[in-house]
Amino acid sequence: MISVLVVLKIIVMNKFKHFVGIDISKEYFDAVLFFSPFGSAIHQQFVNDLKGVKSFQKWLKSEKVSLEETLICMEHTGMYGKILSKVLIASNFNLWIEMSFRILRSIGVQRGKNDKIDAERIARYAEKNQEKALLYKAPKKSLEKIRALLALREKMVVFKASLLRNVKEMKIFDLEISKTNNSYQKATVKALDADIKKIEKQLEVYISEDSNLEKIYTQITSVPGVGNITALLLICFTNEFTLFNTPRELACYCGVVPFEYTSGKSVRAKPKVHFMANKKLKKQLHMCALSSITHHSEMRAYFNRKVQEGKNKMLVLNNVRNKIVHRICACVRQNRLYEVKNVA
């Protein structure tokens, strides 16, 4: 009798009765419809295009699934989920786009893997964690343009660095070939520099056209050490700081929060950050930390003091990264610029 009462209580408290887990790939997406609390799981596969999304909607309708009582959950997969998310939002579905690492951490150790199993696990994750669901709000068109330009800029920067590194390495072993290679790629490197500058100017235009985006961007870049690209990446990955509830959550996502690894008396590993962090943001924040301890007197004094106390330099540098994230979040949350405190 007690178990029945508990189930009835859950049904009353929870808004959703139907849960859909979607596993997306480039060509197809697998969907599993899960009926809570005692229903079975139904699986279907669809082509990942507009026609396939329409078929997915017809399938849900044929299963007599109501919009209000259905929660659709999928992992954040970048461009692969763009068509699906756009159509579902336009059709007023309850869509939850969750970070992959949160789903993996929640389901624990699993044996076996395929698209159908993954979709069912996502559906059950949604049912289990529905009270924590953050319904997806599509980013503004300006933010999508910025994200696309940032991705293009990164490819150009990486390609340029690869060309220059090849010439530099070749110079050590064969100076003549190095000079030949450099003469052929000089025009390419120059063109890449010009295109990168054009992209950066266009990014400034997109920022100036959106008042809220410009405000957040100005607040972030007011923090010492934080540059333009880091600010834009943070805005894009957080959807204008709406995807994370606390600075610590964002810091964990950026990979700047070390966690303790101890057990009993025998296991005493050094604290380390989690491997599923956002590597791109972690790299950018590392460069911010180096800039901060070089040019900002307060952070330089903090770094030197901790190193003199015997702390590992990389540990202190990670602390600086963590401080930068917390300062950024404080400025955005309190709607203000950072107040610089100079230390002699």
Side-chain angles (χ1 to χ4, degrees):
M1 187 64 181
I2 296 176
S3 60
V4 174
L5 289 174
V6 170
V7 171
L8 288 174
K9 185 178 179 182
I10 292 173
I11 293 174
V12 172
M13 287 178 60
N14 294 337
K15 174 183 176 182
F16 305 107
K17 294 181 180 178
H18 313 119
F19 301 89
V20 181
I22 297 178
D23 184 76
I24 302 176
S25 61
K26 183 178 180 179
E27 297 180 356
Y28 300 94
F29 67 90
D30 288 75
V32 168
L33 173 60
F34 175 64
F35 296 89
S36 178
F38 301 117
S40 58
I42 307 172
H43 168 257
Q44 282 286 350
Q45 188 181 75
F46 304 92
V47 179
N48 192 9
D49 58 16
L50 187 57
K51 186 176 179 181
V53 176
K54 295 294 183 182
S55 299
F56 168 70
Q57 289 180 294
K58 290 179 181 178
W59 174 63
L60 290 181
K61 190 175 181 180
S62 68
E63 295 294 338
K64 298 180 181 179
V65 171
S66 65
L67 292 177
E68 297 78 13
E69 296 178 331
T70 303
L71 177 61
I72 300 176
C73 184
M74 53 189 267
E75 293 179 328
H76 194 286
T77 54
M79 71 174 70
Y80 292 161
K82 194 168 184 179
I83 297 174
L84 180 60
S85 61
K86 186 177 292 186
V87 174
L88 292 180
I89 289 297
S91 302
N92 296 319
F93 277 92
N94 296 305
L95 179 61
W96 182 14
I97 300 183
E98 181 61 294
M99 299 294 179
S100 301
F101 77 92
R102 288 178 178 166
I103 297 175
L104 290 171
R105 185 174 60 186
S106 175
I107 62 179
V109 178
Q110 300 290 330
R111 290 172 174 82
K113 174 180 172 59
N114 60 46
D115 295 339
K116 177 184 175 182
I117 291 174
D118 288 344
E120 183 173 347
R121 287 170 178 168
I122 294 172
R124 296 189 182 276
Y125 170 86
E127 192 271 339
K128 178 183 176 183
N129 300 279
Q130 57 180 297
E131 293 181 358
K132 301 177 182 177
L134 292 173
L135 296 184
Y136 178 72
K137 293 181 180 179
K140 292 180 291 189
K141 192 66 179 178
S142 58
L143 212 57
E144 291 185 352
K145 292 178 180 178
I146 289 172
R147 184 190 286 271
L149 279 183
L150 285 173
L152 180 59
R153 179 188 178 277
E154 182 184 15
K155 289 178 182 178
M156 290 183 175
V157 169
V158 170
F159 183 50
K160 174 190 167 185
S162 175
L163 290 175
L164 294 176
R165 183 170 58 251
N166 180 56
V167 170
K168 186 176 180 181
E169 290 174 350
M170 186 62 67
K171 189 182 294 185
I172 300 173
F173 302 103
D174 196 317
L175 184 60
E176 184 180 352
I177 294 178
S178 174
K179 288 181 179 179
T180 303
N181 287 359
N182 188 49
S183 64
Y184 282 115
Q185 72 180 35
K186 189 178 292 184
T188 303
V189 172
K190 187 176 181 180
L192 285 170
D193 282 330
D195 286 340
I196 290 171
K197 289 180 180 178
K198 288 179 183 177
I199 289 174
E200 291 173 348
K201 287 182 179 179
Q202 186 60 50
L203 287 170
E204 292 177 359
V205 172
Y206 287 149
I207 294 167
S208 63
E209 290 175 347
D210 189 311
S211 57
N212 186 61
L213 190 61
E214 186 176 27
K215 180 188 71 174
I216 297 175
Y217 173 81
T218 305
Q219 291 166 350
I220 296 173
T221 51
S222 69
V223 178
V226 182
N228 302 343
I229 301 302
T230 304
L232 289 175
L233 285 172
L234 281 167
I235 290 171
C236 288
F237 279 114
T238 62
N239 197 9
E240 297 184 70
F241 287 80
T242 60
L243 298 181
F244 297 93
N245 296 319
T246 65
R248 181 173 174 80
E249 282 187 10
L250 177 56
C252 290
Y253 175 68
C254 296
V256 299
V257 178
F259 293 94
E260 184 180 8
Y261 283 78
T262 61
S263 179
K265 295 182 179 180
S266 57
V267 180
R268 287 288 184 273
K270 290 182 178 180
K272 52 187 177 182
V273 300
H274 202 274
F275 69 94
M276 288 192 293
N278 186 313
K279 304 297 191 301
K280 190 177 295 184
L281 284 178
K282 184 179 179 182
K283 178 182 177 181
Q284 288 296 131
L285 287 168
H286 180 75
M287 301 308 295
C288 292
L290 291 175
S291 175
S292 183
I293 63 175
T294 302
H295 303 291
H296 182 38
S297 57
E298 180 191 0
M299 204 64 84
R300 182 168 61 250
Y302 167 81
F303 179 82
N304 292 334
R305 184 175 72 254
K306 290 298 179 181
V307 171
Q308 289 172 4
E309 291 174 2
K311 302 290 184 181
N312 182 279
K313 286 187 177 181
M314 286 306 299
L315 174 63
V316 180
L317 197 60
N318 189 70
N319 291 344
V320 173
R321 291 186 290 189
N322 202 339
K323 282 178 175 290
I324 289 173
V325 171
H326 278 71
R327 289 178 178 184
I328 290 171
C329 290
C331 290
V332 174
R333 185 175 62 251
Q334 298 170 17
N335 193 25
R336 63 176 177 83
L337 299 179
Y338 181 78
E339 298 177 4
V340 180
K341 298 178 182 179
N342 291 316
V343 177

